[in-house]
Amino acid sequence: MNLSEVTERISRKLEAKGAQPDQQKIESRLRRLVEEFGVNVDEAERTVTGDLAREYNVTGIGSSSTELRPIHEIVPGEWVTIEGKIVALTPPVSPSIAQTGIIADSSGAIRFVTWARANAPAMEYGHWYRLESAVVDEYKGAPNLKIHSGTTISRVEEDTPLLPSITPITELKPGVGSVRAKFIQDWDASHDRMLQTGLLGDETGTIKFVIWKEEGKDKLDLDTVYNIFYATVDEYNGRLSLALNTAMYIADEGDIEVGRTETEIRGALVHIAPGSGLIKRCPVEGCNRTLSRQNYCPVHEIQPEFRYDLRIKAVLDDGIRAKNVLMQREVVEALTGITLEEAVSIAETNPLGMDEIFYRMRNTVLGRYYTCSGSEFGGRLLVNSCTPIAFEPAELAALLNRAGGEPA
């Protein structure tokens, strides 16, 4: 659609109400919305019409962007007016950004960004605001609210109670979500900036979470149920994860029977990776990192009072694809027949030390066939159970007979 035609149409509407609009100003606003913010022409026309109607104090030609909307209904490409409470503020990642955070109402929550060039008043945590003519776009697959120079920010003095809506884990989408979940697995942090990472679960399934190091952020306690309000839901390689730095999390006295969405793979263990067997872990509360041979933790340095653990890091091949698998102590003990206490005793009396456990376990499982099931994260299967596949002579005979009967 030609923007000059749209400009002329808006101008005629305003003139019919007795206003004398500047057509150059109208077209400039349209071009900014369409070319800079990617707004479709129809929505840009409605927005500019509504903004100018307010400026010239005329009625009867308003825009839908001035109508108050519930947050859960807004979608990318719209210009909207909402009222919500600031439930999180996060550090801006660029000098061009003045403020970022999360704003919520009773229907849902959305991330927002205020551009520095907008010269908008800063919003305060815990207060309600009315935002008029804000732009909804998309960031990392989720709706995102942009506050620009045309957005009007008004503080709402009435502090309305806000009760977050809990979403089942399997129904989460990229953006912002609140869950009631149980902390069921504590994982080794893969980055120095991580305070904690692991697995949360509710009745519908499980999801990975991470808490980044930040002042005032506490770790979760294993096997505890939490109400987690306004976590950031991110998507990477088709899988969702929760970042809890924007969230408020409160321990709950109840319990949850976690529903697990498990993957099952049958195949041969074709590789046992270094770091398998008997390992040492950091004893500092909440750390659990694997120590080096010199008992060194990358966060807490030398730890002479370490604790022992068992694990197997391996590759399971089903003949079509190879999958990295990780087995923790209980699965390792059942699979190899070596308990943690036996492994420690062997390592302390054998000249090879902990290497002896690695060799024994490798010789026990390498090249053998298993059915492994567990949760799949980051390209790795976190094994909950692993069962040897029994040799079935009848199945092999039938297979050979079929192969022998096929024409050359």
Side-chain angles (χ1 to χ4, degrees):
M1 183 181 293
N2 190 317
L3 291 183
S4 296
E5 294 177 2
V6 179
T7 300
E8 182 66 23
R9 184 160 55 244
I10 295 173
S11 180
R12 288 198 302 268
K13 289 180 180 179
L14 292 167
E15 288 172 353
K17 295 292 182 177
Q20 295 180 337
D22 182 345
Q23 290 198 9
Q24 185 176 356
K25 182 179 181 180
I26 295 173
E27 185 166 350
S28 175
R29 290 191 180 186
L30 287 169
R31 291 195 178 280
R32 185 179 184 195
L33 296 180
V34 174
E35 298 172 3
E36 183 175 343
F37 291 101
V39 177
N40 66 64
V41 175
D42 291 339
E43 184 62 25
E45 180 179 357
R46 288 193 294 271
T47 300
V48 173
T49 301
D51 290 346
L52 291 173
R54 289 197 303 275
E55 289 182 21
Y56 289 105
N57 195 27
V58 298
T59 59
I61 57 171
S63 165
S64 61
S65 68
T66 63
E67 298 173 1
L68 190 63
R69 302 275 300 281
I71 287 177
H72 84 283
E73 289 185 1
I74 61 180
V75 295
E78 293 185 324
W79 281 57
V80 297
T81 292
I82 65 168
E83 286 186 1
K85 184 176 184 178
I86 304 301
V87 295
L89 290 173
T90 55
V93 296
S94 166
S96 64
I97 296 175
Q99 195 172 37
T100 59
I102 295 174
I103 186 168
D105 64 11
S106 59
S107 73
I110 188 171
R111 286 180 280 192
F112 74 86
V113 57
T114 303
W115 297 111
R117 63 175 179 262
N119 293 318
M123 294 184 286
E124 298 179 21
Y125 174 82
H127 291 286
W128 283 78
Y129 292 88
R130 181 182 178 92
L131 309 181
E132 298 184 21
S133 295
V135 182
V136 186
D137 67 358
E138 189 171 299
Y139 178 69
K140 293 184 177 180
N144 187 63
L145 201 66
K146 284 188 175 179
I147 297 171
H148 55 94
S149 57
T151 304
T152 301
I153 301 177
S154 306
R155 181 159 162 174
V156 179
E157 295 303 329
E158 183 178 356
D159 187 10
T160 307
L162 184 60
L163 181 64
S165 177
I166 298 296
T167 302
I169 284 177
T170 55
E171 296 180 16
L172 288 171
K173 298 178 181 178
V176 180
S178 300
V179 299
R180 180 177 182 270
K182 186 175 183 178
F183 180 22
I184 58 175
Q185 288 185 11
D186 194 2
W187 298 346
D188 288 347
S190 59
H191 195 287
D192 287 344
R193 287 187 54 239
M194 282 184 179
L195 177 66
Q196 190 178 41
T197 184
L199 198 64
L200 295 169
D202 66 7
E203 295 85 349
T204 68
T206 57
I207 190 169
K208 173 187 174 183
F209 81 92
V210 62
I211 304 174
W212 300 98
K213 290 179 179 177
E214 183 180 291
E215 186 177 352
K217 281 299 170 184
D218 298 320
K219 290 185 175 182
L220 305 184
D221 294 326
L222 195 62
D223 296 323
T224 301
V225 175
Y226 288 89
N227 291 300
I228 300 172
F229 303 134
Y230 308 119
T232 302
V233 187
D234 294 315
E235 182 177 12
Y236 181 71
N237 287 340
R239 295 191 177 277
L240 298 180
S241 64
L242 292 178
L244 304 193
N245 287 70
T246 60
M248 175 191 303
Y249 35 96
I250 304 170
D252 191 314
E253 293 182 354
D255 197 10
I256 291 177
E257 184 67 32
V258 176
R260 298 179 182 270
T261 303
E262 293 198 339
T263 300
E264 183 176 279
I265 303 176
R266 294 163 58 94
L269 287 176
V270 297
H271 174 67
I272 309 300
S276 299
L278 186 64
I279 61 172
K280 300 173 182 178
R281 293 195 183 276
C282 179
V284 176
E285 184 179 357
C287 181
N288 207 41
R289 287 177 172 82
T290 305
L291 304 181
S292 70
R293 287 181 177 271
Q294 292 75 36
N295 302 336
Y296 182 81
C297 171
V299 175
H300 303 106
E301 301 183 341
I302 298 296
Q303 295 294 323
E305 301 297 326
F306 57 83
R307 63 180 183 85
Y308 282 113
D309 197 7
L310 293 176
R311 74 177 178 190
I312 289 180
K313 299 165 64 178
V315 176
L316 187 70
D317 195 324
D318 64 1
I320 299 175
R321 59 173 181 160
K323 174 66 66 177
N324 291 319
V325 299
L326 176 63
M327 306 176 192
Q328 301 289 6
R329 174 184 170 181
E330 291 183 359
V331 177
V332 173
E333 289 180 334
L335 203 63
T336 63
I338 302 175
T339 66
L340 177 62
E341 292 74 16
E342 291 171 343
V344 172
S345 177
I346 293 170
E348 290 177 346
T349 57
N350 193 286
L352 292 178
M354 293 169 60
D355 287 340
E356 175 66 19
I357 305 303
F358 172 81
Y359 294 135
R360 290 194 185 192
M361 290 187 173
R362 185 185 66 178
N363 293 341
T364 300
V365 301
L366 186 63
R368 289 169 171 78
Y369 287 78
Y370 298 92
T371 298
C372 294
S373 62
S375 304
E376 195 171 353
F377 287 96
R380 172 175 289 175
L381 185 71
L382 306 177
V383 178
N384 295 322
S385 65
C386 195
T387 307
I389 297 176
F391 174 66
E392 296 290 346
E395 290 185 9
L396 178 60
L399 179 63
L400 293 174
N401 288 337
R402 287 199 302 271
E406 292 177 357

